[in-house]
Amino acid sequence: MDASSIDAVRRLQVGEGQSLYVGDPAFNLDNARLDPLSEAMAVFAGDRVIGFYRLDFAPNAICGRAFEMPSVGVRAFLIDAREQGRGYGSLAAIAMCADVRRRHPQCRLLVLAVHCVNTAGVAAYRKAGFIDTGELLGGGRAGSQHLMLRKLDDTDMASPNLPGRESCVGQ
């Protein structure tokens, strides 16, 4: 992210009630930039910043345990409130998968938690190929969250509950 995209992320707005899901974009940006195991990512439509997410490379990111294959967590994914309803969420999630696969080929799995009441988020992730594991994670300001996974090697995800030990940090 360059200076102009950092400023643009700080100006992103979340929709009414969505701050429970994603929090404050500026806080999430600053937090990601301070964490050596994170990458702050801007979402672009053409030359406009329309969203943000954070890649979390901590070994136990998202659900407190590592997975059998090297994984990366996705946090604070958001599309600006003024840009919602145009399909950008699904497109951005698909692009995120391709980007991680290209820039971090050692990572084989994306892991995220999405609040159960965030039906638009669940739908966008499903369109991008994420599978709901059926596991619910407790907590969060908006209640329980679905654990969703997306393999990055385009293989079958028939068995998405993958216990294990690895993250893709340093590999």
Side-chain angles (χ1 to χ4, degrees):
M1 293 179 59
D2 62 15
S4 65
S5 60
I6 289 170
D7 289 342
V9 166
R10 291 186 188 291
R11 290 190 301 272
L12 293 174
Q13 297 177 12
V14 296
E16 187 175 331
Q18 292 178 333
S19 64
L20 288 174
Y21 311 144
V22 297
D24 176 64
F27 172 83
N28 288 322
L29 170 66
D30 293 341
N31 190 268
R33 292 181 68 218
L34 291 172
D35 183 349
L37 294 179
S38 289
E39 289 181 6
M41 303 297 296
V43 175
F44 288 83
D47 61 351
R48 296 178 304 116
V49 172
I50 62 160
F52 170 82
Y53 61 92
R54 171 184 179 172
L55 296 175
D56 187 340
F57 294 92
N60 297 327
I62 308 302
C63 63
R65 69 175 187 275
F67 290 86
E68 205 169 271
M69 59 184 60
S71 63
V72 61
V74 178
R75 298 185 182 279
F77 188 101
L78 73 99
I79 299 298
D80 187 273
R82 298 161 290 196
E83 302 292 344
Q84 292 177 4
R86 299 177 187 175
Y88 287 136
S90 297
L91 293 173
I94 291 166
M96 171 183 65
C97 295
D99 177 64
V100 171
R101 188 175 334 168
R102 181 182 53 79
R103 291 186 313 110
H104 300 286
Q106 73 279 11
C107 294
R108 306 312 303 152
L109 185 71
L110 282 171
V111 180
L112 61 83
V114 58
H115 285 92
C116 295
V117 296
N118 183 359
T119 56
V122 170
Y125 294 128
R126 283 190 174 138
K127 287 179 184 174
F130 282 83
I131 303 296
D132 187 339
T133 66
E135 182 178 347
L136 292 178
L137 304 175
R141 294 174 293 181
S144 296
Q145 300 172 68
H146 297 275
L147 178 63
M148 298 184 81
L149 305 176
R150 169 70 157 77
K151 282 189 178 178
L152 295 176
D153 58 4
D154 292 332
T155 61
D156 179 44
M157 285 201 60
S159 301
N161 290 320
L162 304 169
R165 298 164 203 84
E166 293 185 62
S167 94
C168 55
V169 175
Q171 298 192 16

